[in-house]
Amino acid sequence: MKIIGANFKMNFKKDDINNYLEVIKNKFPIDNIIFFPSDLYIENFAKNNYLVGSQNISFQEFGAVTGDTSILQLKELGIKYTLIGHSERRKYFNDDNYIADKMKLALKNDIIPVLCIGESLREYENNLTKDKLKEQIDIALKDNRSDKIIIAYEPIWSIGTGKIPTNDILTEIISFIKNYINENYQINLKVIYGGSVNLDNILELNKINNLDGYLIGGATLNPNKFLELIDKIK
Ligand code: 13P
């Protein structure tokens, strides 16, 4: 069964979350769908027995880090997963500097890290995709080897733009990521794809054999449409 991650990003208020939960109630098997809501609403999903993850964790476990949220606090709310290194965090919060620390904290606390990697448009156009991915993988995995880790390949130029790589390119990149990690770290990791996944392109994406699932943003925000999407992924 494919992994489906729903990254709500910084969307929704309390009423929207309650409505969302009402719409999806008893609608699908819940063991392959992971919700990544704002920290404030993690408990709402956990309480209803959905798999839930945080969009981020602090690079420190506890202490003087104003405004951050500790993995220990998030664990109490019910997370089983956390995104690490989403490109929006790398862009706005210098997360490139904290990836290794966050990976270590997640694994130490038995939380599954969903490590987000991906190249910029400039890197893509200059044929630097594989170099960029290697660099991001090495920083994250050097001291943090675990076959629990999930890799989310999210080309930055594809996030929220409606543009996606062709199936041939995705097949090649996914196999590159899996082989590179296997050869250099002796582990086999699942790789999921994120970037403008939607109802129009999902059937085509589903044809990619080596893809283990999706990390989806915008197309998860309408619960009815998300249900339709899930139906096509099964
Ligand atoms: P979109 O699906 O909105 O392009 O977002 C992808 C993403 O960033 C998921 O983490």
Side-chain angles (χ1 to χ4, degrees), residues 17 19 38 52-54 59 72 74 80 84 88 90 111 125 155 160 172 181 188 196 207 222:
I17 291 290
N19 173 55
S38 298
V52 66
S54 56
F59 66 102
L72 301 178
L74 293 162
K80 298 276 188 281
I84 290 183
E88 286 147 21
R90 292 184 194 259
I111 296 299
E125 286 173 346
E172 189 198 326
I181 292 174
N188 293 315
S196 295
K207 294 180 188 160
N222 177 321

Short mmCIF file of all heavy atoms in Angstrom, two decimals, residues 17 19 38 52-54 59 72 74 80 84 88 90 111 125 155 160 172 181 188 196 207 222:
data_model
loop_
_atom_site.label_atom_id
_atom_site.label_comp_id
_atom_site.label_asym_id
_atom_site.label_seq_id
_atom_site.Cartn_x
_atom_site.Cartn_y
_atom_site.Cartn_z
N ILE A 17 -10.68 22.46 11.00
CA ILE A 17 -10.16 21.14 11.39
C ILE A 17 -11.33 20.24 11.82
O ILE A 17 -11.41 19.08 11.42
CB ILE A 17 -9.12 21.28 12.52
CG1 ILE A 17 -7.85 21.94 11.99
CG2 ILE A 17 -8.81 19.92 13.16
CD1 ILE A 17 -7.02 21.11 11.04
N ASN A 19 -14.41 20.44 10.94
CA ASN A 19 -15.18 20.12 9.74
C ASN A 19 -14.46 19.03 8.93
O ASN A 19 -15.07 18.07 8.45
CB ASN A 19 -15.37 21.40 8.91
CG ASN A 19 -16.02 21.08 7.58
OD1 ASN A 19 -17.09 20.48 7.55
ND2 ASN A 19 -15.37 21.45 6.49
N SER A 38 -0.90 21.73 11.48
CA SER A 38 -0.16 22.62 12.41
C SER A 38 -0.09 21.92 13.76
O SER A 38 -1.00 21.16 14.12
CB SER A 38 -0.90 23.94 12.59
OG SER A 38 -1.00 24.60 11.37
N VAL A 52 -0.41 10.64 12.64
CA VAL A 52 -0.17 12.07 12.56
C VAL A 52 1.31 12.38 12.76
O VAL A 52 2.02 11.66 13.48
CB VAL A 52 -1.10 12.83 13.55
CG1 VAL A 52 -0.77 12.50 14.98
CG2 VAL A 52 -1.07 14.32 13.33
N GLY A 53 1.75 13.41 12.06
CA GLY A 53 3.14 13.84 12.19
C GLY A 53 3.19 15.35 12.34
O GLY A 53 2.22 16.04 12.04
N SER A 54 4.35 15.84 12.80
CA SER A 54 4.53 17.29 12.87
C SER A 54 5.24 17.76 11.60
O SER A 54 5.89 16.96 10.92
CB SER A 54 5.34 17.68 14.11
OG SER A 54 6.58 17.00 14.11
N PHE A 59 15.46 21.71 16.93
CA PHE A 59 16.76 21.01 16.84
C PHE A 59 17.29 20.66 18.23
O PHE A 59 18.23 19.91 18.36
CB PHE A 59 17.79 21.87 16.09
CG PHE A 59 18.16 23.14 16.80
CD1 PHE A 59 19.37 23.23 17.49
CD2 PHE A 59 17.30 24.23 16.81
CE1 PHE A 59 19.72 24.39 18.15
CE2 PHE A 59 17.64 25.40 17.48
CZ PHE A 59 18.84 25.48 18.15
N LEU A 72 9.65 16.11 22.34
CA LEU A 72 9.03 15.44 23.49
C LEU A 72 7.60 15.96 23.71
O LEU A 72 6.70 15.21 24.05
CB LEU A 72 9.88 15.66 24.75
CG LEU A 72 11.32 15.14 24.66
CD1 LEU A 72 12.09 15.44 25.94
CD2 LEU A 72 11.33 13.65 24.37
N LEU A 74 5.73 17.22 21.29
CA LEU A 74 4.94 16.76 20.15
C LEU A 74 4.57 15.29 20.29
O LEU A 74 3.48 14.86 19.92
CB LEU A 74 5.72 16.99 18.84
CG LEU A 74 5.92 18.46 18.50
CD1 LEU A 74 7.04 18.65 17.48
CD2 LEU A 74 4.63 19.08 17.98
N LYS A 80 3.73 10.31 15.39
CA LYS A 80 4.54 9.11 15.11
C LYS A 80 5.57 9.43 14.03
O LYS A 80 6.49 8.66 13.80
CB LYS A 80 3.65 7.97 14.60
CG LYS A 80 2.59 7.50 15.59
CD LYS A 80 3.17 6.48 16.56
CE LYS A 80 2.11 5.84 17.44
NZ LYS A 80 1.72 6.72 18.54
N ILE A 84 11.17 16.53 8.15
CA ILE A 84 12.44 17.19 8.47
C ILE A 84 12.98 17.78 7.17
O ILE A 84 13.06 17.11 6.14
CB ILE A 84 13.45 16.20 9.09
CG1 ILE A 84 12.97 15.83 10.50
CG2 ILE A 84 14.85 16.83 9.16
CD1 ILE A 84 13.87 14.91 11.28
N GLU A 88 10.30 24.64 2.48
CA GLU A 88 9.85 25.93 3.02
C GLU A 88 10.57 26.24 4.34
O GLU A 88 10.86 27.40 4.65
CB GLU A 88 8.32 25.91 3.20
CG GLU A 88 7.62 26.02 1.85
CD GLU A 88 6.30 25.26 1.76
OE1 GLU A 88 5.70 24.96 2.81
OE2 GLU A 88 5.87 24.95 0.62
N ARG A 90 13.62 25.07 4.97
CA ARG A 90 15.01 25.35 4.58
C ARG A 90 15.12 26.80 4.10
O ARG A 90 16.10 27.47 4.36
CB ARG A 90 15.45 24.39 3.46
CG ARG A 90 15.60 22.91 3.90
CD ARG A 90 16.12 22.08 2.76
NE ARG A 90 16.01 20.65 2.93
CZ ARG A 90 17.01 19.83 3.31
NH1 ARG A 90 18.19 20.33 3.58
NH2 ARG A 90 16.83 18.53 3.41
N ILE A 111 10.56 8.45 16.57
CA ILE A 111 9.65 9.13 15.65
C ILE A 111 10.23 8.95 14.24
O ILE A 111 11.43 9.11 14.04
CB ILE A 111 9.56 10.64 16.00
CG1 ILE A 111 8.95 10.83 17.39
CG2 ILE A 111 8.80 11.42 14.94
CD1 ILE A 111 7.54 10.31 17.55
N GLU A 125 17.81 23.11 -13.89
CA GLU A 125 18.16 23.55 -15.24
C GLU A 125 19.64 23.37 -15.55
O GLU A 125 20.05 23.27 -16.69
CB GLU A 125 17.75 25.01 -15.43
CG GLU A 125 16.24 25.15 -15.57
CD GLU A 125 15.76 26.59 -15.60
OE1 GLU A 125 16.55 27.50 -15.24
OE2 GLU A 125 14.59 26.81 -15.96
N PRO A 155 10.99 18.28 -5.62
CA PRO A 155 11.70 19.34 -6.34
C PRO A 155 11.05 20.68 -6.02
O PRO A 155 9.83 20.82 -6.12
CB PRO A 155 11.50 18.98 -7.82
CG PRO A 155 10.65 17.75 -7.87
CD PRO A 155 10.27 17.35 -6.49
N GLY A 160 3.65 23.56 -5.39
CA GLY A 160 2.66 24.62 -5.52
C GLY A 160 2.64 25.31 -6.87
O GLY A 160 2.00 26.35 -7.04
N GLU A 172 13.83 7.72 -12.79
CA GLU A 172 15.29 7.74 -12.73
C GLU A 172 15.79 8.33 -11.40
O GLU A 172 16.68 7.79 -10.75
CB GLU A 172 15.83 8.55 -13.91
CG GLU A 172 17.34 8.42 -14.02
CD GLU A 172 17.98 9.52 -14.86
OE1 GLU A 172 17.33 9.97 -15.82
OE2 GLU A 172 19.10 9.92 -14.52
N ILE A 181 21.61 5.61 -1.56
CA ILE A 181 21.50 5.34 -0.12
C ILE A 181 21.89 3.89 0.17
O ILE A 181 22.60 3.62 1.15
CB ILE A 181 20.08 5.66 0.37
CG1 ILE A 181 19.84 7.17 0.30
CG2 ILE A 181 19.86 5.15 1.81
CD1 ILE A 181 18.44 7.62 0.63
N ASN A 188 17.81 0.21 2.90
CA ASN A 188 16.83 0.38 1.83
C ASN A 188 15.70 1.27 2.33
O ASN A 188 15.00 0.90 3.27
CB ASN A 188 16.25 -0.97 1.42
CG ASN A 188 17.29 -1.84 0.77
OD1 ASN A 188 18.05 -1.36 -0.08
ND2 ASN A 188 17.38 -3.07 1.19
N SER A 196 2.88 19.37 -6.35
CA SER A 196 1.75 19.53 -7.27
C SER A 196 1.02 18.23 -7.62
O SER A 196 0.48 18.10 -8.72
CB SER A 196 2.19 20.23 -8.56
OG SER A 196 2.60 21.55 -8.28
N LYS A 207 1.67 5.19 -12.25
CA LYS A 207 2.33 4.21 -13.14
C LYS A 207 3.81 4.03 -12.79
O LYS A 207 4.46 3.13 -13.32
CB LYS A 207 2.21 4.66 -14.59
CG LYS A 207 0.79 4.66 -15.12
CD LYS A 207 0.79 5.12 -16.57
CE LYS A 207 -0.63 5.33 -17.08
NZ LYS A 207 -0.66 6.21 -18.27
N ASN A 222 -9.02 20.42 0.57
CA ASN A 222 -10.46 20.17 0.49
C ASN A 222 -10.67 18.68 0.81
O ASN A 222 -10.26 17.81 0.04
CB ASN A 222 -10.95 20.50 -0.92
CG ASN A 222 -12.42 20.20 -1.09
OD1 ASN A 222 -12.92 19.19 -0.58
ND2 ASN A 222 -13.11 21.05 -1.83
#
